[in-house]
Amino acid sequence: MEGWEKSPIFPIETKILRRLPGFPLLVISVLLLVVNVSNAFAHATPMLYEPAAAMALDKLPPRVRIQFSEHIEPKASSITIYAPDGSRADLKDSRPDANDLRVLTVGVRDAGKGVYTVSWQVVSQDDGHFTKGGFSFGFGSDAASTNSTAEQIQVEHSSTYSQAGAIGIEVLGQSLLVAFLIAMALLWRRLPHRKITVRQSAVFERACQYVVSAGIVFIVLGVIVFLILKTLDLEVSRATSFATTFQTFLQTVDGRFAVYRLILGLAFGIYFFAVRKSIFASRTYSMHEGILAGLVAIILLDRAMVSHAAASHFHPDFSILMNAAHLLAKEFWVGGLMALSLILVPVINRIGRASWMAVTLTTMSKYISAALAVTALTGAYIVWLHLKSPAYILTTPWGRRFLVLSTIATILLLVRMYNQLFAERYAVQACRQHLQGYRREAVRWLHYSIPFEMCVGVALLFVTSYLIITTPPYPSERYALEKHADSQGARIAMTVHPVEQKQFLITVTKGQTGTAEPVTEMVVTLENMEKNIGPIVADTDERFTGGFTFPRNSLSVPGQWKIDITARRNGAYDAAVSFPLNYPAEFEASRIDPDVRVAGLFEGILASAAAAATLFSLALYRFAGKLSRQCDVEASQSWSTPGFRISKSILTGASATAAVCAVIWMGDALFIKSNFQRLCEDHGGSWTQSVPMRRGVTLSSETMAVCSTPSNDFHFAEAREFEYSLQKSPQSEEHHHQ
């Protein structure tokens, strides 16, 4: 036994092993909190107001209704209505609709004629995020006095990267618990225990206890910080004391489930330390490990149930299970690497058997290959469920965070390929012979590459936590209606405005090149021969070069309409076309419901990617299995190389991972931008998530990526409209029409 403290493969001192799971992992978690530090946008988005914003009413409705994109927490959500004289006009009976928990209603009393202001605040039952906002409507003869600000729909979202960091710490703790289960049940028992001394077993058991302890600490710390941060956010929104707000938050789904995870994490720790002697004494899989694995599974399912999958219209229960399976596959991958780096590699290094090291590495690679397949399949489903279209990758927070996540996942896969296809192959050869040259160096570098892969995996978990609190894009209804015709070398097209659903959009482009055609005047004449209406000249508004809008309500009654469009140009003949339109029948027939999913190119790409990843993972699994069969666990070949302390290897991997994440974050912040965002920021605007707005008037209730001017009067959702505003008033510091 003399001298066994010096590892023949990767030297490590006992005191380093004892403190290994705590301090280095804490450093890793702090470093990786800088992966993506931009604000996160997550919310229950208001989709419909009844009455509509800025609506002039002749009669007050019995109740005000607001429809949201997610289910609403009844005890933490409310609507307040202020009368024209400033008094309360609501009946203080805010409640979700009995038939649809996405709809929040409140009774309203008649408090006189004038402008009524509605203020609302909600907590999502699906993901636990807070949103508040307001709008106004008019009643009676004084309703016409409602100014432009009355039509604003102010929406404020509360969800920050600090909350994501708390979730990341909690997920890190869960991965440590998974690491113990993998090390104990799947790897340690494969080794011939008759050749393991009591002292060596004690080192393994102590390492497992430190890993479990660190896991419990991280779960408890993550949940407590999460509860405090969420309560502070809700406290500001509700203007109540911390204690009162905390009690309210605990009544929400998000609050209750966070407490459940805290209790389950503590239960795991209590049960483990109560039965640890029995677990370590058993040479086969025990019932105790099954109970502990069940607790972890419940924790993961709990985490998945408070997610945007729960808000999905597409089989929410199935989506929650897919979400849980995806998180489990990730934590299994990262937990397996933790089991190697924090428990088994240090212990086997002390034992000094190259064959045991090779068997352990190749066995874990088989499991990781299977986890890769599950991650790919469930990940493709989640992306399909939430992203909805590749057009949202660069234009929404969820899409951009998915891009960052994909980049880190690619790095993780590349490191895995190096470890499995290159380094582990030579580790197997080391079982039978002494290696020289680059083969020896490749195996020696495993004590860097395995911890580095683990640290990249931890970074992946933290980015996943940011994605958890980021609301996926939720497009409103769209209309595919399009009319187009050519005249005098120009093409005139009429569609529904992509942002302003109450406006028709007319565009004039050059027939040969498709570029915008300057128009001096746009004349739109409407006529309904059946009802003997017209001709009526519609009001048009120039939005960008060659682009004009006119209101849909210009078509005053249903029926067959003829729309004559004349585009007058300098130095060229007028372009004139005529479109027939059966309104609203033809208009409604083109409606696209965002909740109806159909197979298309995007779905085909995701299915192909998932299939390719599954086949690749199968190939990796077979390769790892072949290597594993070549290992003779009874072989006594030892191998000695000059090495480094494992603690240094892990901290080196953490530093390298932090550097990689910093580069990715800088790329996301500086380079991964659309041309519209660059143009916006270059001209003093700010890129944010908000409702589109024009001269202080809200154009749509859908929150989206917009370019906000310094005055906040314009929130441009169309790049062409922003460019046009710069052309019309290039010297304006606010960059909008005066």
Side-chain angles (χ1 to χ4, degrees):
M1 295 297 296
E2 184 177 349
W4 76 273
E5 291 86 351
K6 297 294 183 181
S7 169
I9 301 180
F10 306 145
I12 180 172
E13 296 179 1
T14 303
K15 62 181 181 180
I16 297 295
L17 176 63
R18 288 178 179 175
R19 67 188 183 192
L20 178 62
F23 176 74
L25 272 179
L26 183 59
V27 173
I28 292 171
S29 64
V30 173
L31 287 175
L32 294 177
L33 281 175
V34 303
V35 169
N36 195 336
V37 295
S38 57
N39 284 335
F41 300 98
H43 49 273
T45 303
M47 306 301 295
L48 179 66
Y49 293 112
E50 294 181 1
M55 176 71 72
L57 306 174
D58 295 328
K59 180 181 179 181
L60 277 177
R63 302 189 70 81
V64 169
R65 303 174 76 255
I66 306 177
Q67 179 182 343
F68 294 90
S69 59
E70 299 175 359
H71 299 94
I72 301 304
E73 283 285 0
K75 296 182 179 180
S77 304
S78 63
I79 301 176
T80 303
I81 305 176
Y82 295 97
D85 61 2
S87 62
R88 288 282 295 269
D90 61 277
L91 300 182
K92 300 181 181 181
D93 60 345
S94 298
R95 63 175 182 267
D97 188 282
N99 299 319
D100 189 353
L101 292 180
R102 293 179 174 86
V103 177
L104 187 64
T105 73
V106 69
V108 58
R109 68 179 179 85
D110 188 343
K113 298 179 180 180
V115 177
Y116 286 70
T117 302
V118 180
S119 176
W120 55 265
Q121 58 178 14
V122 298
V123 176
S124 170
Q125 192 179 88
D126 297 320
D127 55 31
H129 301 142
F130 311 147
T131 316
K132 64 179 181 179
F135 68 99
S136 299
F137 62 88
F139 166 54
S141 58
D142 294 336
S145 64
T146 303
N147 56 29
S148 63
T149 59
E151 195 173 349
Q152 294 187 27
I153 303 173
Q154 301 294 344
V155 180
E156 179 181 336
H157 314 303
S158 177
S159 184
T160 62
Y161 63 85
S162 56
Q163 295 176 13
I167 295 175
I169 293 174
E170 181 188 344
V171 171
L172 178 61
Q174 297 168 13
S175 299
L176 285 168
L177 301 187
V178 173
F180 157 70
L181 293 172
I182 292 174
M184 186 75 243
L186 302 180
L187 300 177
W188 179 247
R189 290 204 176 98
R190 287 181 58 89
L191 304 178
H193 285 267
R194 64 183 182 278
K195 296 185 178 181
I196 301 176
T197 67
V198 174
R199 189 173 182 181
Q200 292 166 352
S201 295
V203 173
F204 171 80
E205 294 171 12
R206 187 164 56 247
C208 288
Q209 292 179 43
Y210 281 124
V211 167
V212 171
S213 299
I216 300 302
V217 169
F218 281 132
I219 289 177
V220 172
L221 177 63
V223 171
I224 290 177
V225 172
F226 177 77
L227 289 173
I228 292 174
L229 291 174
K230 297 286 281 189
T231 302
L232 290 174
D233 280 347
L234 188 58
E235 180 184 9
V236 173
S237 174
R238 297 177 63 87
T240 56
S241 66
F242 182 88
T244 302
T245 307
F246 185 71
Q247 293 177 359
T248 301
F249 181 62
L250 290 182
Q251 297 178 23
T252 67
V253 171
D254 197 16
R256 291 199 308 271
F257 277 56
V259 173
Y260 295 160
R261 293 194 301 274
L262 176 64
I263 294 173
L264 289 169
L266 291 174
F268 186 104
I270 294 171
Y271 188 81
F272 166 77
F273 283 103
V275 301
R276 67 184 187 281
K277 292 183 179 179
S278 176
I279 293 177
F280 292 132
S282 175
R283 293 292 177 262
T284 59
Y285 186 82
S286 68
M287 176 189 68
H288 300 306
E289 292 160 77
I291 294 175
L292 293 175
L295 289 174
V296 173
I298 296 174
I299 291 174
L300 292 175
L301 184 60
D302 181 302
R303 174 74 268 173
M305 291 182 70
V306 186
S307 66
H308 297 103
S312 171
H313 292 267
F314 185 82
H315 302 293
D317 293 337
F318 177 74
S319 297
I320 289 173
L321 290 176
M322 292 292 283
N323 210 16
H326 183 71
L327 188 58
L328 173 61
K330 285 182 178 178
E331 291 191 6
F332 188 91
W333 186 337
V334 179
L337 297 170
M338 289 177 173
L340 293 176
S341 299
L342 304 178
I343 302 176
L344 289 163
V345 168
V347 173
I348 296 175
N349 282 339
R350 292 176 175 277
I351 297 173
R353 290 181 177 269
S355 59
W356 291 18
M357 182 68 71
V359 167
T360 300
L361 292 174
T362 55
T363 300
M364 192 65 244
S365 289
K366 290 172 60 178
Y367 294 129
I368 290 178
S369 299
L372 172 60
V374 177
T375 302
L377 291 172
T378 55
Y381 176 83
I382 291 172
V383 172
W384 171 82
L385 183 71
H386 292 328
L387 190 59
K388 301 177 179 67
S389 168
Y392 291 118
I393 292 180
L394 292 178
T395 59
T396 63
W398 201 96
R400 291 183 58 174
R401 282 193 170 82
F402 166 70
L403 194 60
V404 172
L405 182 74
S406 300
T407 303
I408 295 180
T410 300
I411 296 173
L412 182 64
L413 183 59
L414 292 175
V415 179
R416 167 92 319 243
M417 292 173 62
Y418 167 81
N419 286 333
Q420 188 168 335
L421 301 179
F422 187 66
E424 289 180 11
R425 181 174 61 171
Y426 297 130
V428 172
Q429 293 181 12
C431 299
R432 300 185 299 270
Q433 59 184 347
H434 291 284
L435 301 179
Q436 301 295 330
Y438 72 89
R439 291 180 176 85
R440 178 186 175 87
E441 290 300 308
V443 181
R444 189 175 73 85
W445 272 83
L446 274 169
H447 72 102
Y448 284 123
S449 58
I450 292 294
F452 177 62
E453 184 182 358
M454 178 193 73
C455 294
V456 175
V458 173
L460 187 74
L461 294 180
F462 272 95
V463 178
T464 299
S465 71
Y466 287 96
L467 211 57
I468 287 174
I469 71 168
T470 305
T471 295
Y474 191 89
S476 59
E477 293 179 340
R478 294 290 188 267
Y479 296 89
L481 177 69
E482 180 178 356
K483 305 276 187 177
H484 62 267
D486 296 332
S487 174
Q488 300 296 330
R491 167 158 290 201
I492 298 179
M494 187 184 78
T495 61
V496 180
H497 196 287
V499 175
E500 304 171 54
Q501 305 296 303
K502 296 181 180 180
Q503 299 280 339
F504 283 114
L505 174 64
I506 300 173
T507 57
V508 183
T509 57
K510 296 179 180 179
Q512 294 181 342
T513 63
T515 57
E517 175 77 7
V519 176
T520 60
E521 184 181 7
M522 180 69 68
V523 180
V524 178
T525 305
L526 311 173
E527 189 172 5
N528 188 324
M529 301 297 292
E530 297 177 354
K531 305 292 176 61
N532 195 26
I533 300 175
I536 301 172
V537 178
D539 292 331
T540 59
D541 184 17
E542 186 174 12
R543 295 300 181 83
F544 51 86
T545 301
F548 293 77
T549 61
F550 73 94
R552 268 176 36 203
N553 59 16
S554 299
L555 305 176
S556 54
V557 297
Q560 188 68 40
W561 288 82
K562 185 179 73 166
I563 304 175
D564 295 324
I565 301 174
T566 301
R568 294 173 179 166
R569 304 174 290 175
N570 282 329
Y573 290 107
D574 295 345
V577 298
S578 181
F579 298 132
L581 177 64
N582 186 359
Y583 183 85
E586 191 175 347
F587 173 81
E588 291 295 335
S590 70
R591 185 170 64 91
I592 300 174
D593 188 342
D595 293 325
V596 177
R597 310 297 295 273
V598 295
L601 178 61
F602 180 56
E603 288 73 16
I605 293 174
L606 288 177
S608 300
T614 302
L615 293 175
F616 181 70
S617 65
L618 177 61
L620 290 179
Y621 182 89
R622 296 187 63 179
F623 181 81
K626 181 180 178 180
L627 288 181
S628 182
R629 289 191 296 271
Q630 294 175 5
C631 299
D632 182 5
V633 74
E634 300 291 343
S636 59
Q637 177 70 38
S638 63
W639 171 48
S640 177
T641 63
F644 298 88
R645 291 186 178 93
I646 276 292
S647 60
K648 180 178 179 181
S649 300
I650 293 178
L651 291 176
T652 301
S655 301
T657 304
V660 170
C661 292
V663 172
I664 294 173
W665 175 78
M666 290 177 62
D668 174 49
L670 300 177
F671 304 111
I672 307 177
K673 298 179 180 179
S674 64
N675 292 333
F676 183 17
Q677 181 176 352
R678 292 179 186 278
L679 182 67
C680 171
E681 295 174 348
D682 289 344
H683 288 82
S686 59
W687 192 255
T688 185
Q689 287 285 118
S690 182
V691 291
M693 189 179 297
R694 185 176 183 83
R695 296 189 182 95
V697 178
T698 298
L699 307 177
S700 169
S701 62
E702 177 188 352
T703 54
M704 59 187 69
V706 297
C707 177
S708 179
T709 60
S711 66
N712 211 35
D713 287 342
F714 280 72
H715 294 173
F716 289 100
E718 272 270 334
R720 295 173 295 182
E721 296 190 14
F722 180 66
E723 292 173 352
Y724 184 72
S725 73
L726 298 177
Q727 295 171 8
K728 299 298 287 186
S729 52
Q731 302 302 321
S732 171
E733 66 180 26
E734 296 179 349
H735 299 107
H736 65 266
H737 298 297
Q738 299 294 337

